[in-house]
Amino acid sequence: MMRTRPLKVALLGCGVVGSEVARIMTTHADDLAARIGAPIELAGVAVRRPSKVREGIPADLITTDATALVKRGDIDVVVEVIGGIEPARSLITTAFEHGASVVSANKALLAQDGAALHAEAQENGKDLYYEAAVAGAIPLIRPLRESLAGDKINRVMGIVNGTTNFILDKMDSTGAGYQEALDEATALGYAEADPTADVEGFDAAAKAAILAGIAFHTRVRLDDVYREGMSEVTSADFASAKEMGCTIKLLAICERAADGGSVTARVHPAMIPLSHPLASVRGAYNAVFVESDAAGQLMFYGPGAGGSPTASAVLGDLVAVCRNKLSGATGPGDSAYAQLPVSPMGDVVTRYHISLDVADKPGVLAQVATVFAEHGVSIDTVRQQGKDGEASLVVVTHRASDASLNGTVESLRNLDTVRGVASIMRVEGE
């Protein structure tokens, strides 16, 4: 039998995502009630600009006092879609203290203070759900922490930022330069006026921290994630990638060490073989590739941002949290029992593509090969082109640590036959 008294929901933020959450709650009210076992009611909406017209939301629900809204005591679930660290953090903890569970899409806050927020939720016997914080509409958080809870996850690698994937895909498919592709992304609304958070990898790094923590049952903070942006990627890099049968993606990579004793989390551009499933992810779409012991290889794909896709993930969490409320239970919380150390980037082992500007004369290749050998970095392939006393030398290594590669590059710069290092890029997905 369905409960007739509605569960009350407070909405913090009514922008692109929040307005879609409110719309879906209204237009799908009967279906949501049937799935939950009780109707849900939008009890208040906290905004910064109350004068703005918000279609479908009664004016008497609008407030600028978010703190008073979450303190009401009759609120069952708070949906936080305002983003940022404060006041979101204070509002969420206040909601827990006053009897409400929380659904959030706040990747930055969860990457920085997820452990503390989970502790607050547990102390107050409430839920903290955040499917929408990573990869928009793609079901990812729940599969990692519930569906694969009985498995051992070894690696999570994915495209988790649609803006950067659009830019790189445009560079790959049209030969456009970075700035030209960024300008198009901005004109189409994929990139913000200030695209720094996207193109410099901050957004993806926050998501990597969340994914690594869940996948490896270890607390991973944003500061633990190595981050490298994509603004230095050039059309020449794409040309080199194509010669290797690869393309270039900005990847978030979280992996367990071979001995199982540590984990790493990193975000950077990388060449990836065209045969890899992630290579075919086009436009502003996201995809995450998961490798585990029992399930093997899995890929999750779909729209990673936007009002409706993100609202879909928020509503899925809202339904789950409301069901828990009715049953008197709570869902899975923080799982950090493994407490594995997070290794520095210097320990990461992968392949590298290095492009050098060198003098076009005999003996250069032998000098360069000697430097690689001295640092214990094995060479897989070499390509050399020269004209009029200048040449380019492209070296692809076997797997090597980041620290050993950095040492190699520093030594190469000391050779009088090496004019400069044009680019260094990791090769992943093999």
Side-chain angles (χ1 to χ4, degrees), residues 296-313:
Q297 298 179 334
L298 307 168
M299 192 168 94
F300 302 84
Y301 169 85
S308 294
T310 306
S312 170

Side-chain angles (χ1 to χ4, degrees), residues 26-336:
T26 301
T27 58
H28 295 178
D30 291 342
D31 284 341
L32 291 171
R35 295 166 192 170
I36 292 168
I40 54 175
E41 173 189 315
L42 189 59
V45 182
V47 299
R48 286 183 295 180
R49 296 186 294 276
S51 59
K52 180 179 178 181
V53 177
R54 293 172 172 84
E55 187 177 347
I57 300 177
D60 61 349
L61 293 184
I62 301 295
T63 179
T64 57
D65 193 344
T67 301
L69 178 60
V70 299
K71 281 184 173 181
R72 275 178 36 175
D74 66 333
I75 300 296
D76 295 291
V77 184
V78 169
V79 174
E80 182 271 309
V81 288
I82 57 177
I85 305 302
E86 288 292 355
R89 175 169 48 197
S90 296
L91 292 170
I92 289 173
T93 56
T94 300
F96 290 142
E97 292 165 358
H98 287 78
S101 290
V102 172
V103 172
S104 175
N106 197 330
K107 55 187 172 289
L109 178 57
L110 289 158
Q112 179 172 307
D113 289 325
L117 293 176
H118 274 293
E120 287 277 354
Q122 183 175 8
E123 182 179 338
N124 289 279
K126 302 302 173 187
D127 274 323
L128 174 62
Y129 275 52
Y130 44 91
E131 184 67 66
V134 180
I138 304 173
L140 184 59
I141 301 296
R142 199 168 299 149
L144 287 178
R145 72 176 186 175
E146 296 181 38
S147 303
L148 296 174
D151 206 343
K152 178 184 176 184
I153 297 173
N154 297 310
R155 197 173 202 229
V156 179
M157 179 172 74
I159 299 161
V160 294
N161 183 279
T163 300
T164 56
N165 200 58
F166 177 89
I167 293 169
L168 292 173
D169 182 40
K170 186 62 61 174
M171 292 176 70
D172 184 30
S173 60
T174 69
Y178 169 76
Q179 190 59 52
E180 182 184 352
L182 173 58
D183 289 344
E184 182 173 350
T186 303
L188 292 172
Y190 290 122
E192 301 287 345
D194 180 0
T196 303
D198 293 326
V199 301
E200 295 303 329
F202 291 100
D203 175 84
K207 296 170 181 176
I210 294 169
L211 292 175
I214 295 171
F216 307 131
H217 305 278
T218 289
R219 292 202 174 101
V220 179
R221 290 171 52 89
L222 181 57
D223 292 345
D224 296 321
V225 181
Y226 172 84
R227 178 193 55 79
E228 184 181 317
M230 50 166 270
S231 56
E232 299 300 317
V233 176
T234 67
S235 54
D237 292 325
F238 273 99
S240 292
K242 287 181 179 179
E243 289 181 4
M244 292 177 57
C246 294
T247 187
I248 298 172
K249 300 292 186 182
L250 185 76
L251 298 177
I253 303 172
C254 314
E255 57 190 349
R256 191 188 301 267
D259 63 3
S262 65
V263 299
T264 58
R266 50 197 166 101
V267 169
H268 53 72
M271 293 183 179
I272 187 168
L274 295 175
S275 58
H276 194 283
L278 290 177
S280 62
V281 178
R282 311 302 297 268
Y285 276 73
N286 284 192
V288 177
F289 199 72
V290 178
E291 300 176 36
S292 68
D293 275 2
Q297 298 179 334
L298 307 168
M299 192 168 94
F300 302 84
Y301 169 85
S308 294
T310 306
S312 170
V314 170
L315 267 294
D317 279 351
L318 180 59
V319 168
V321 169
C322 286
R323 286 171 174 170
N324 291 343
K325 176 79 175 181
L326 291 179
S327 66
T330 56
D334 191 24
S335 175

Side-chain angles (χ1 to χ4, degrees), residues 244 348-354 372 375-382 395-402 404-405 408 425-428 430:
M244 292 177 57
V348 170
V349 175
T350 188
R351 297 180 68 205
Y352 290 86
H353 176 283
I354 306 102
F372 276 87
H375 289 272
V377 179
S378 176
I379 294 175
D380 182 17
T381 62
V382 177
V395 178
V396 179
T397 74
H398 288 291
R399 292 175 65 83
S401 72
D402 193 76
S404 62
L405 194 282
T408 303
M425 191 166 295
R426 296 168 184 87
V427 182
E428 303 285 350
E430 295 186 313

Side-chain angles (χ1 to χ4, degrees), residues 356-430:
L356 304 172
D357 295 326
V358 300
D360 186 16
K361 62 182 184 180
V364 173
L365 179 56
Q367 284 185 319
V368 169
T370 297
V371 170
F372 276 87
E374 288 173 348
H375 289 272
V377 179
S378 176
I379 294 175
D380 182 17
T381 62
V382 177
R383 275 196 330 274
Q384 184 173 10
Q385 293 178 326
K387 185 178 181 181
D388 298 330
E390 297 296 329
S392 64
L393 191 66
V394 175
V395 178
V396 179
T397 74
H398 288 291
R399 292 175 65 83
S401 72
D402 193 76
S404 62
L405 194 282
N406 287 339
T408 303
V409 171
E410 287 305 308
S411 295
L412 288 171
R413 287 193 170 105
N414 292 328
L415 294 178
D416 58 7
T417 52
V418 174
R419 309 290 194 232
V421 179
S423 70
I424 304 171
M425 191 166 295
R426 296 168 184 87
V427 182
E428 303 285 350
E430 295 186 313

